[in-house]
């Protein structure tokens, strides 16, 4: 698997002072073990909990060229955070994942292998195939996730099993192209990027991942997010 | 072609088939069945969706061992990060 390619990890953070240190450590461990060239870009939206102070300490340990802090003046949402971080990325491939440890860095070598095997433009982590799954989800959360994916799969026919997951690897040029077209926010953003990727004929590979619900802090999935998602889906139905 | 156009295409096609079927000279029973066909189809699709969805939820793989493995990894990371002075002990 060793390759000369560079992998840029985009980590959006909002109040993740513990998690950012832990995930950075685990990322460095994974990249070192699998002999991959890497950089990490933290996009922090002025977290009041002092996330950026921890990032600065981490920079002293791992180097400012490896760990880049792309700060923004206030909480502006995930979609634009990715765009902001992508501008700083120098890698050939970009890995997007949550900083809250729901996405374990240990799966990254699987993403890299799947990308190389199929020469894929995108590799997406999926909870819905053999080997994948979740930990810490109740019936309601499972129903919501399944329901959203089932609905979107029926209406949009995108041909991937996990439309709302956000643990993915992209060829950088492809991600730049897709980001420039996407307008949705929230969970609909993950769906839109995949639907557009399929429309444009980009190759997509899947790897099983286990999503572990955040150990610290709480998730924001509520009725508002569900309504937003459905609106986003209908919008894609009419415009793509 | 836009997704909505494809969907409308199907809808118009099915509507045409249904309207044509309604013109057929058949028994009263069959005619009523044809008349109700759209309702029956929608209901059948609804049942199919609910069954598939519930099957999906019930077979959604629970992997508590991954949660435990993560906790161990986190402990390992925290020990080193604390030693390096990046995280406070505790
Ligand atoms: N920069 C930035 N990061 C965010 C924002 N909202 C969420 N995040 C981060 O995005 C990731 C996913 O957020 P989370 O609340 O766990 O979403 P959920 O898992 O879908 O409920 C985490 O790393 C958050 O810290 C935001 O507005 N700006
Ligand atoms: Mg989360």
């Amino acid at each position: 698997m060793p390759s000369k390619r560079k992998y840029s990890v985009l980590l959006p953070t909002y109040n993740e002072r513990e998690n950012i240190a832990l995930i950075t450590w685990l990322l460095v461990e994974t990249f070192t073990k699998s002999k991959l060239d890497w950089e990490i870009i933290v996009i922090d939206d002025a977290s009041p909990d002092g996330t950026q102070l921890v990032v600065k300490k981490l920079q002293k340990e791992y180097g400012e060229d490896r760990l880049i802090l792309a700060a923004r003046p206030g909480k502006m949402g995930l979609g634009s955070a990715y765009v902001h971080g992508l501008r700083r990325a120098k890698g050939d491939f970009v890995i997007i994942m949550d900083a809250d440890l729901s996405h374990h860095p240990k799966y990254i070598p699987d993403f890299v292998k799947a990308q190389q095997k199929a020469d894929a433009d995108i590799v997406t982590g999926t909870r819905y195939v053999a080997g994948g799954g979740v930990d810490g989800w109740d019936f309601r959360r499972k129903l919501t996730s399944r329901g959203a994916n089932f609905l979107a799969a029926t209406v949009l026919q995108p041909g991937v099993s996990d439309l709302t997951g956000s643990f993915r690897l992209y060829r950088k040029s492809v991600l730049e192209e897709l980001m420039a077209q996407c307008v949705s926010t929230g969970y609909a953003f993950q769906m839109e990027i995949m639907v557009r990727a399929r429309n444009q004929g980009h190759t997509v590979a899947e790897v099983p991942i286990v999503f572990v619900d955040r150990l610290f802090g709480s998730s924001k999935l509520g009725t508002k997010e569900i309504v937003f998602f459905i609106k986003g889906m209908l919008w894609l139905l009419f415009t793509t | 072609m836009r997704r909505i156009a494809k969907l409308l295409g199907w809808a118009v096609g099915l509507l045409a088939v249904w309207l044509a079927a309604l013109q057929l000279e058949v028994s009263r029973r069959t005619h009523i069945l044809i008349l109700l066909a759209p309702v029956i189809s929608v209901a059948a699709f609804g049942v199919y969706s609910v069954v598939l969805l519930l099957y999906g939820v019930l077979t959604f793989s629970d992997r508590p061992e991954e949660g435990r493995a993560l906790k161990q990894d986190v402990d390992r990371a925290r020990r080193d990060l604390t030693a390096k002075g990046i995280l406070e002990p505790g």
Side-chain angles (χ1 to χ4, degrees):
Chain A
M1 188 177 51
S3 82
K4 290 182 289 292
R5 283 121 162 220
K6 190 182 185 104
Y7 295 84
S8 307
V9 182
L10 301 190
L11 291 178
T13 56
Y14 191 74
N15 287 345
E16 307 280 8
R17 55 166 292 142
E18 287 268 312
N19 289 333
I20 192 60
L22 296 168
I23 194 155
T24 299
W25 195 94
L26 290 170
L27 278 165
V28 173
E29 183 186 55
T30 298
F31 281 129
T32 309
K33 262 192 201 157
S34 32
K35 298 192 172 60
L36 297 169
D37 189 14
W38 59 276
E39 65 177 4
I40 298 171
I41 298 163
V42 179
I43 308 105
D44 186 72
D45 282 0
S47 300
D49 76 340
T51 299
Q52 291 186 23
L53 288 173
V54 177
V55 174
K56 281 174 187 144
K57 285 188 195 170
L58 289 163
Q59 282 180 315
K60 289 212 182 76
E61 179 66 30
Y62 299 111
E64 282 178 31
D65 52 330
R66 289 279 187 192
L67 183 62
I68 294 128
L69 176 59
R72 296 197 298 174
K75 192 167 179 356
M76 293 189 265
L78 268 181
S80 62
Y82 296 137
V83 176
H84 187 75
L86 186 59
R87 278 195 216 118
R88 305 282 295 270
K90 290 190 291 288
D92 309 285
F93 292 92
V94 176
I95 295 163
I96 290 185
M97 61 197 291
D98 292 352
D100 63 359
L101 299 170
S102 297
H103 299 148
H104 199 304
K106 71 181 176 188
Y107 294 111
I108 288 176
D110 297 343
F111 281 74
V112 170
K113 267 181 234 148
Q115 189 284 319
Q116 293 177 350
K117 194 171 156 221
D119 193 29
D121 296 316
I122 303 175
V123 182
T124 174
T126 173
R127 298 159 285 191
Y128 299 117
V129 300
V134 288
D135 179 40
W137 278 19
D138 57 9
F139 184 83
R140 193 192 82 97
R141 189 80 196 272
K142 285 182 181 173
L143 184 66
T144 313
S145 177
R146 272 288 193 194
N149 273 286
F150 179 76
L151 193 66
T154 309
V155 174
L156 301 173
Q157 311 274 332
V160 283
S161 67
D162 195 340
L163 260 187
T164 52
S166 53
F167 192 178
R168 293 179 185 157
L169 178 148
Y170 298 87
R171 197 183 294 282
K172 190 172 78 177
S173 54
V174 170
L175 183 59
E176 283 168 340
E177 183 191 322
L178 292 170
M179 287 281 202
Q181 303 161 5
C182 286
V183 298
S184 312
T185 55
Y187 294 94
F189 177 80
Q190 310 300 343
M191 168 173 62
E192 176 174 9
I193 211 163
M194 204 46 86
V195 166
R196 292 195 187 279
R198 293 321 296 240
N199 277 359
Q200 282 148 45
H202 295 303
T203 44
V204 181
E206 294 192 311
V207 290
I209 58 156
V210 175
F211 181 103
V212 177
D213 209 20
R214 51 161 70 236
L215 303 171
F216 316 104
S218 67
S219 166
K220 57 178 192 308
L221 179 67
T223 317
K224 206 181 103 212
E225 277 68 35
I226 297 172
V227 172
F228 253 75
F229 179 82
I230 292 173
K231 276 192 192 155
M233 188 191 70
L234 293 176
W235 181 80
L236 284 173
L237 174 65
F238 282 91
T239 55
T240 67
Chain B
M1 184 161 65
R2 294 205 172 167
R3 288 177 160 78
I4 186 68
K6 225 188 245 174
L7 205 70
L8 285 176
W10 273 96
V12 169
L14 287 172
L15 189 72
V17 171
W18 182 60
L19 288 175
L22 279 176
Q23 311 307 316
L24 297 175
E25 302 239 351
V26 289
S27 70
R28 217 181 121 72
R29 265 181 68 103
T30 315
H31 186 76
I32 290 173
L33 220 62
I34 294 173
L35 208 59
L36 290 178
V39 183
I40 297 169
S41 315
V42 168
F45 183 71
V47 170
Y48 161 84
S49 301
V50 168
V51 168
L52 212 68
L53 188 57
L54 278 180
Y55 177 80
V57 174
L58 296 175
T59 56
F60 208 149
S61 194
D62 267 311
R63 303 283 296 277
E65 77 280 6
E66 287 298 317
R68 289 193 290 274
L70 175 64
K71 281 200 188 81
Q72 283 181 6
D73 290 337
V74 162
D75 287 342
R76 215 153 36 83
R78 194 190 301 279
R79 247 179 275 131
D80 189 49
L81 287 162
T82 314
K84 288 187 162 104
I86 294 170
L87 287 181
E88 294 93 60

